[in-house]
């Protein structure tokens, strides 16, 4: 690469002798464990993000039967820990990651199966597309999992799952596994082989404490960075979205389009994201409505919860329906259009970059 300023006039850069000495210099750099910036500046410091991950769509009609097949062939137990099958972005060279920072997986528990307790520094959530009958026990608190619910497992909380029903159950897991792995922050501990509490309460202890909007238990011992509430129930999320759509102007004009309601799952004690490393949201588009076209330096994963429509990502249109999952790399244009109505769950790595003052988000004209 040539420079356009500070050019030395006493050197003939094009001479064969110069070229040979340069090649030798690069060989010696490599041998000494050194690498120049100038030959790789564009790759190392691009003008804007150049994600290796690609926009990709997984169909629920393909994910679910494959997860069910694995239940006939692979037991759940100590060691492997979970029957979770990740969604691997084809741009990431075979890594089992949806984006460079986000793990998205379908987890499947056959009737009366248990997944043993463990804990890890990775944060996790479960989002339930369909079914019920599984309780996830988070630090000894059994939390029911049902359609439309978001269940949290903040980092370093013990957790195990058990299916008490005669039906299998599958759901979407989201974790920050790739972010934690690539930054060498992973710690893991096995818990007891038997679940600490096999009871199946209607509501978890965390919900009994934090059950009212805007109401903090007086006994609360102070805010923690991740949410003290382990379950965000569909009835509440649905009601909040329906209420927003009653506002003709969307509430905050310019941020969302008309006919687009959106809520973020937050820590009720702080108003911040429910988890420290992942942002979780639910969106609803009225029949025929379109979202604004946006892009963000955060990468994200979206799952259609209900309805059908079109996702436009990286300039390509994809028809999507219930359960379909879309990975959206950093700085990739994204918009949605609803058919008869469209409910979408999403998660992203935005909290990480927000805390580091790296997050950039824009509405594309
Ligand atoms: O349910 O504990 O998809 O530890 C990946 C790792 C789920 C879990 C995953 C996990 C879990
Ligand atoms: Fe886990």
């Amino acid at each position: 690469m040539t420079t356009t300023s500070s050019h030395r006039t006493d050197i003939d850069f094009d001479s064969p002798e110069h070229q040979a000495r340069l090649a030798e210099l690069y060989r010696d750099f490599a041998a000494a464990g050194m690498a120049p910036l100038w030959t790789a500046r564009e790759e190392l410091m691009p003008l804007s993000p150049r994600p290796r991950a690609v926009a990709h769509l997984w169909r629920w009609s393909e994910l679910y039967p494959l997860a069910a097949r694995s239940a006939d062939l692979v037991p759940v137990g100590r060691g492997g820990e979970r029957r979770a099958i990740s969604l691997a972005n084809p741009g990431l060279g075979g890594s089992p990651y949806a984006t460079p920072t986000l793990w998205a997986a379908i987890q499947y528990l056959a009737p009366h199966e248990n997944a043993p307790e463990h804990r890890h520094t990775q944060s996790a959530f479960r989002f339930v597309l369909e079914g019920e009958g599984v309780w996830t026990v988070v630090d000894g608190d059994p939390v029911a999992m049902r359609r439309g619910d978001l269940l949290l497992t903040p980092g370093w909380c013990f957790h195990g799952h058990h299916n008490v029903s005669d039906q299998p159950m599958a759901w979407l897991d989201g974790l920050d596994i790739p972010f934690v792995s690539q930054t060498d922050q992973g710690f893991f501990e096995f818990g007891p082989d038997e679940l600490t509490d096999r009871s199946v309460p209607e509501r978890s202890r965390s919900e009994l404490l934090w059950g009212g909007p805007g109401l903090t238990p007086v006994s609360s011992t102070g805010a923690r960075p991740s949410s003290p509430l382990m379950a965000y129930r569909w009835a509440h999320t649905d009601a909040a979205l329906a209420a927003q759509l009653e506002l003709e102007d969307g509430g905050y004009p310019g941020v969302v389009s008309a006919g687009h309601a959106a809520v973020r799952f937050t820590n009720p004690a702080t108003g911040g994201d429910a988890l420290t490393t992942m942002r979780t949201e639910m969106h609803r588009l009225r029949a025929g409505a379109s979202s604004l076209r946006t892009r963000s330096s955060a990468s994200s994963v979206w799952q259609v919860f209900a309805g059908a429509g079109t996702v436009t990502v990286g300039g390509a249109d994809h028809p999507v329906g219930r359960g379909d999952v879309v990975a959206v790399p950093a700085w990739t244009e994204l918009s949605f259009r609803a058919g008869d109505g469209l409910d979408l769950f999403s998660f992203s790595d935005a909290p990480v970059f927000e805390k580091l003052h790296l997050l950039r988000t824009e509405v594309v004209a």
Side-chain angles (χ1 to χ4, degrees), residues 81-82 118-120 122 124 126 153 157 159 161 175 188:
E81 300 296 293
R82 301 293 185 258
H118 65 214
R119 67 175 172 179
H120 37 70
Q122 293 86 351
R126 339 269 158 211
T153 312
C157 292
H159 55 285
H161 322 305
L175 289 92
F188 188 103

Side-chain angles (χ1 to χ4, degrees), residues 65-186:
L66 284 166
R69 259 170 71 192
S70 69
D72 295 332
L73 298 169
V74 186
V76 187
R78 196 74 305 156
E81 300 296 293
R82 301 293 185 258
R83 189 185 293 109
I85 308 118
S86 79
L87 280 54
N89 189 301
L92 294 177
S95 292
Y97 306 147
T99 79
T101 52
L102 300 172
W103 166 275
I106 177 169
Q107 180 167 167
Y108 189 101
L109 271 186
H112 304 286
E113 272 185 331
N114 300 321
E117 285 189 19
H118 65 214
R119 67 175 172 179
H120 37 70
T121 46
Q122 293 86 351
S123 296
F125 67 79
R126 339 269 158 211
F127 177 71
V128 182
L129 178 72
E130 60 193 19
E132 56 184 45
V134 171
W135 268 253
T136 179
V137 185
V138 182
D139 271 344
D141 187 14
V143 184
M145 298 175 62
R146 300 190 191 94
R147 181 178 178 280
D149 295 343
L150 176 73
L151 304 315
L152 302 185
T153 312
W156 213 239
C157 292
F158 275 109
H159 55 285
H161 322 305
H162 62 137
N163 187 350
V164 302
S165 88
D166 297 328
Q167 299 297 320
M169 188 175 169
W171 60 85
L172 184 74
D173 282 327
L175 289 92
D176 51 10
I177 291 173
F179 174 69
V180 170
S181 168
Q182 284 165 37
T183 51
D184 296 327
Q185 303 304 313

Side-chain angles (χ1 to χ4, degrees), residues 295-313:
R295 62 179 171 179
S296 171
S297 61
S299 61
S300 59
V301 176
W302 297 70
Q303 185 177 37
V304 176
F305 175 65
T310 305
V311 52
T312 305
V313 60

